[in-house]
Amino acid sequence: MDIEKLKYYPEPKLTFGSNQAAEDPRDGLMLFGPNEKFSRTSIKAGVVGTSEGIQLYKDFVNKLQSPIISSKKMYGNDIQIEAQRPSFVGFEAIYGIEWDDKPILTKQLLEIQVNAILEEKNKKKRTRSLVDFYAKKIIESKQKDDKRVDIWFVIVPRNVYIKCRYGAKGEELSKKLDKKITMLNEGQFSLYPDYDEDLKELEKLKEDSSDFHNLLKAVLLKNKIESPIQVFVEPTLRFRDKLRNKEYSEDMKAHLAWTTSVAIYYKLGNKPWVLNDVRKDVCYLGLIFKQLPDKSNKQSVCSAAQMFLEDGDGSIFRGNIGLFKSERAEGYHLDEISAESLLGMALDDFQESKGYYPKELFIHGRVKFQDKEWKGFNNALEARKAETNLNGILIKDTRSDARKKLKIFKDTDREGQDNNYGIMRGLAWHIDEKSAYLFTRGYIPRTNSTNHLETANPLYVEINRGNSKIETVLKDILALTKLNYNACVYGDGLPVTLRFSDLIGNILTATSEWQSEMRQFKYYI
């Protein structure tokens, strides 16, 4: 390895209240408060759940009003954990707004009814019935209640999480039933009209997700529920692991409080922090491809994009459904028409927000861009006479791609080395003017720890299209690892443009006949 090709990129800083800067989101929030202030002094919350779930919500909110001290024991000894996982100092103390444990709207569900739905053996039917049961309360509230909430909290028992998620046990739609549905659609009716109606109902479920969280969000977006949703599994409100139901250690309780509070504050429509030193009028677009839930149609894939502006604002655009699987190359690629349509939506959204088109636009993808899709992207610019500098950036996580793996080890035996954590986050090895490896995972001096468990694996970054400088691209990617508002961590391993691609894709494909103009990122996390 040529040591001269190694370069360190300093940690990007974030801006908080009173225009003050800090590296760690938790430092900035504790010292200066959030970057954007909430318009009122208190949160108007709505809660849907069983009587037990509603009480757990109240207890959880009360717990977050007081400090949660971070501590940890290993082999019976106390260890210093404050730098890695700081204590939580209290919701109102951090954000300056009141979060009362008494919601302004409460929708109570009977536990016996929830359990009855969970007895259904077909997992898609089970999930759809349960989602409709919960969603009905929120949809009816929009129509009947005079009060309007800022955010809905949906509290579900642990059994819902276990039985209504990907990989849960349950019956699938059999090939025999699928064949009968096909025959019915071709006009071959049975002797029993009720049976035919049941088949039609099952057909609707073919394109549904079996995951409660994703399907609920999709259904509420489809019904234009403007208040964001926060789903809690009951053990989480008890500060317990929702899968194993094991109580969290004190440091993890503090971490849960930080993560939950940041996500809620962002869903209220306020950014807790923004990037400190950013280039103006730059736009970042992450491509999403997701196979539809209907397993009988394995070729059809939904395309989408998530756009982020330099101030952290995010939007989601659902594109066409098509046969995007490449025959020769790995991964998925847009056709020319779909590429033009998808980028066109993003450009129009930017123009509506700013009044002009971006100076630079970086499209992040997991595979190299093909000529046909790049032509489609350029067609979108030409149709709008936009003078935008377009760049296509390939980003590969080397943890899952053996062909791009790179390991760099630090000589810990040298004099003066005071830790054994390995290389620093922000280190990059430049291959040439168009490609490099960037370590977004590594040792972090501020926390005296790392943001990974294994030996650090870098991202492989390549300027596949365009004329941007690799140094600029790497700085941007490192900065975008700090815009995860669904957590409160020092920095992620992936930029936000790709970090949530699977989650967003799951929601966009969770139900058929998707129709939603609600594009804000806060609705999808």
Side-chain angles (χ1 to χ4, degrees), residues 5 9 52 84 181 192 221 301 361 387 446:
K5 291 187 175 181
Y9 289 87
E52 182 178 4
Q84 295 96 313
I181 290 171
Y192 308 99
L221 281 168
V301 172
L361 196 154
E387 298 180 356
R446 169 63 189 90

Side-chain angles (χ1 to χ4, degrees), residues 346-358:
L347 288 169
D348 291 343
D349 191 80
F350 188 100
Q351 200 277 337
E352 288 173 14
S353 171
K354 302 281 189 177
Y356 50 85
Y357 294 110

Side-chain angles (χ1 to χ4, degrees), residues 455-510:
T455 303
N457 292 285
L459 301 179
Y460 172 74
V461 181
E462 178 183 306
I463 303 172
N464 185 233
R465 306 274 175 158
N467 54 12
S468 185
K469 293 182 178 180
I470 190 66
E471 292 84 1
T472 300
V473 171
L474 296 182
K475 285 179 183 178
D476 286 351
I477 291 173
L478 190 62
L480 289 169
T481 65
K482 299 183 79 79
L483 285 182
N484 180 0
Y485 298 130
N486 202 37
C488 193
V489 294
Y490 185 89
D492 257 330
L494 283 172
V496 69
T497 46
L498 298 179
R499 172 70 173 79
F500 295 97
S501 59
D502 285 339
L503 174 61
I504 293 169
N506 287 335
I507 294 172
L508 291 174
T509 59

Side-chain angles (χ1 to χ4, degrees), residues 51 74 90 235 374 469 515-516:
S51 58
M74 288 187 70
W374 201 250
K469 293 182 178 180
Q515 292 177 347
S516 179

